[in-house]
């Protein structure tokens, strides 16, 4: 699926119902969750897991906003330059979760589009680095309705987990 389908996809994301935008942003961020393992970022105790769980649970806007705040206050978020190498992937995963939190608190439309764009960028970089993963194409297929099921999200997430193992061993 060509990347030039992204502008159309972005407008479709913006036209979704708010609840669907929130759910999609969280699904997207979940896909890149394993990338957080690729860097030693200044996360709070417990790492990304409890923060992502709070965003996924959406028990209250306050809880999601607190999780977002935990992410945006890590030292790496305040730097002018993004890290290089594997740490770039880790930081990118955290940024995707910040956008997912945005989708679940203040702006579902902007949040889902920003989450999608960041996840797309991460998967494209994995494809470039490893050369044979086709993760971005898989994402575009899922997002374009050719498999927006729990199983298709799980398959994409598994591909990212396998890529993390390969990136780490290089």
């Amino acid at each position: 699926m060509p990347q030039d389908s992204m502008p159309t996809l972005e407008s479709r994301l913006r036209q979704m119902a708010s609840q669907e935008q929130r759910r999609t942003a969280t699904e997207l961020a979940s896909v890149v969750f394993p990338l957080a393992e690729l860097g030693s970022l200044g996360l709070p105790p417990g790492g990304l897991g409890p923060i992502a769980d709070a965003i996924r649970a959406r028990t209250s806007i306050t809880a999601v906003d607190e999780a977002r705040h935990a992410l945006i206050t890590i030292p790496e978020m305040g730097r002018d330059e993004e890290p290089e190498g594997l740490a770039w992937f880790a930081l990118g995963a955290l940024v995707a979760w910040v956008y997912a939190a945005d989708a679940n608190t203040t702006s579902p439309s902007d949040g889902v589009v920003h989450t999608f764009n960041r996840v797309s960028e991460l998967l494209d970089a994995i494809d470039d680095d490893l050369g044979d993963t086709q993760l971005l194409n898989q994402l575009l297929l899922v997002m374009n309705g050719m498999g927006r099921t729990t199983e298709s999200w799980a398959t994409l997430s598994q591909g990212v987990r396998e890529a993390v193992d390969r990136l780490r061993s290089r």
Side-chain angles (χ1 to χ4, degrees):
M1 180 129 335
Q3 279 189 300
D4 60 359
S5 69
M6 285 186 179
T8 303
L9 183 53
E10 285 180 19
S11 54
R12 283 200 348 249
L13 288 169
R14 288 191 184 282
Q15 293 169 6
M16 289 177 168
S18 295
Q19 190 61 26
E20 182 71 7
Q21 290 169 332
R22 290 181 187 101
R23 187 188 66 72
T24 300
T26 304
E27 294 272 10
L28 285 162
S30 294
V31 165
V32 296
F33 179 88
L35 296 176
E37 300 170 13
L38 292 174
S40 57
L41 303 174
L43 284 166
L48 180 58
I51 295 168
D53 289 345
I55 295 168
R56 281 186 196 109
R58 296 187 297 253
T59 54
S60 71
I61 288 178
T62 303
V64 174
D65 193 50
E66 287 171 358
R68 180 187 183 280
H69 183 73
L71 290 173
I72 64 171
T73 57
I74 67 165
E76 292 82 1
M77 290 287 190
R79 297 202 172 114
D80 291 337
E81 298 289 322
E82 289 190 350
E84 294 184 12
L86 295 180
W88 179 83
F89 290 106
L91 182 64
L94 301 185
V95 170
W97 279 101
V98 168
Y99 291 143
D102 290 345
N104 283 284
T105 54
T106 58
S107 178
S109 177
D110 289 341
V112 71
V113 168
H114 293 310
T115 307
F116 169 74
N117 287 335
R118 188 59 170 203
V119 169
S120 297
E121 181 181 30
L122 290 164
L123 298 184
D124 190 37
I126 291 170
D127 289 345
D128 285 347
D129 281 6
L130 297 178
D132 61 356
T133 54
Q134 294 293 311
L135 292 171
L136 179 58
N137 283 339
Q138 289 176 37
L139 173 66
L140 294 175
L141 289 171
V142 170
M143 295 302 296
N144 279 305
M146 299 176 170
R148 286 185 81 183
T149 64
T150 302
E151 183 179 308
S152 62
W153 286 113
T155 299
L156 184 55
S157 294
Q158 181 61 35
V160 173
R161 277 196 266 329
E162 291 168 6
V164 165
D165 291 340
R166 290 177 59 200
L167 288 166
R168 196 181 290 145
S169 67
R170 293 176 61 186

